[in-house]
Amino acid sequence: MTCAWALLYIERWLTAPMVQEDGTIIERSRGTPQGGVVSPILANLFMHYAFDLWMARMFPDLRWCRYADDGLVHCRNEMEAQSVREALQARLAECCLEMHPTKTRIVYCKDDRRRGKTETVMFDFLGYCFRPRSVLGPRSQKMFCGFTPAVSKPALNAMRATIPRLETSQANRGDFGRYCPRAKPDG
């Protein structure tokens, strides 16, 4: 069933001119502008068709996750990963999309169960860095090598730049002021 008014608004969103900060108007005929209000919704709808449904149909036994245009596909070995990568590259080309050349890579998720040797053993996804690291077992209380996430360095730096430090000086202990974020003075 086609919803005519929804298609009308989607068409208007896709063809509306873009106004630059200086007031310059740029006519558009396709795509959604970076930072556009409706861009994330339309991108998710398109990626559901271009990626989600395709993955479920073509690789039903593989686990994967996607957030907007970032995604992961879990494969059992490198040969399978190469095959999925090639098929996905072809699928995205059919949809006039392409994988990012430097962000797209095959990563070996090394841990105590997977002890192979390879160059690439870490990746960032949605602000988290996944890599082999020592982890304390919750039941055994013994250290082991696990492939667990931690906040990535770029995300941590962005948080540090955005969130002001809390002042906890002797002068404001005991009052509500110590719980309020205050920007650290320059200098």
Side-chain angles (χ1 to χ4, degrees):
M1 182 171 160
T2 304
C3 189
W5 67 268
L7 293 175
L8 174 70
Y9 277 98
I10 290 170
E11 181 180 3
R12 286 178 181 174
W13 283 324
L14 290 174
T15 58
M18 190 169 68
V19 181
Q20 301 286 81
E21 284 186 36
D22 65 359
T24 309
I25 296 175
I26 299 173
E27 294 295 326
R28 297 178 26 262
S29 61
R30 64 182 218 165
T32 61
Q34 184 79 22
V37 175
V38 76
S39 295
I41 296 167
L42 295 177
N44 266 319
L45 288 172
F46 187 74
M47 288 302 291
H48 178 71
Y49 164 76
F51 179 79
D52 302 353
L53 297 177
W54 180 83
M55 280 295 295
R57 187 174 61 250
M58 299 302 293
F59 299 100
D61 58 329
L62 293 183
R63 292 172 38 209
W64 56 269
C65 62
R66 178 184 65 79
Y67 183 84
D69 63 346
D70 289 331
L72 299 172
V73 179
H74 301 275
C75 299
R76 291 172 282 266
N77 56 56
E78 187 174 2
M79 195 165 83
E80 182 178 58
Q82 292 285 4
S83 174
V84 170
R85 181 181 183 162
E86 289 169 14
L88 181 56
Q89 198 163 13
R91 169 60 179 168
L92 293 177
E94 288 172 10
C95 300
C96 299
L97 299 172
E98 60 185 45
M99 291 189 275
H100 194 285
T102 59
K103 291 182 179 178
T104 305
R105 58 182 191 243
I106 295 173
V107 177
Y108 184 69
C109 300
K110 185 177 180 173
D111 64 13
D112 274 354
R113 292 172 292 164
R114 296 178 289 258
R115 297 174 185 254
K117 297 203 185 286
T118 185
E119 254 183 58
T120 310
V121 294
M122 65 181 283
F123 64 92
D124 286 355
F125 183 63
L126 302 180
Y128 287 92
C129 176
F130 292 80
R131 67 173 176 82
R133 62 182 88 238
S134 294
V135 180
L136 182 64
R139 292 193 182 130
S140 67
Q141 295 297 305
K142 293 182 180 176
M143 297 300 283
F144 68 96
C145 179
F147 199 82
T148 56
V151 177
S152 69
K153 285 184 182 180
L156 193 57
N157 290 339
M159 283 187 267
R160 285 182 177 138
T162 304
I163 302 171
R165 302 221 182 260
L166 293 176
E167 280 188 6
T168 56
S169 67
Q170 216 38 42
N172 64 18
R173 286 184 194 261
D175 68 338
F176 73 92
R178 75 180 175 130
Y179 299 106
C180 298
R182 296 188 183 155
K184 193 173 184 178
D186 292 328

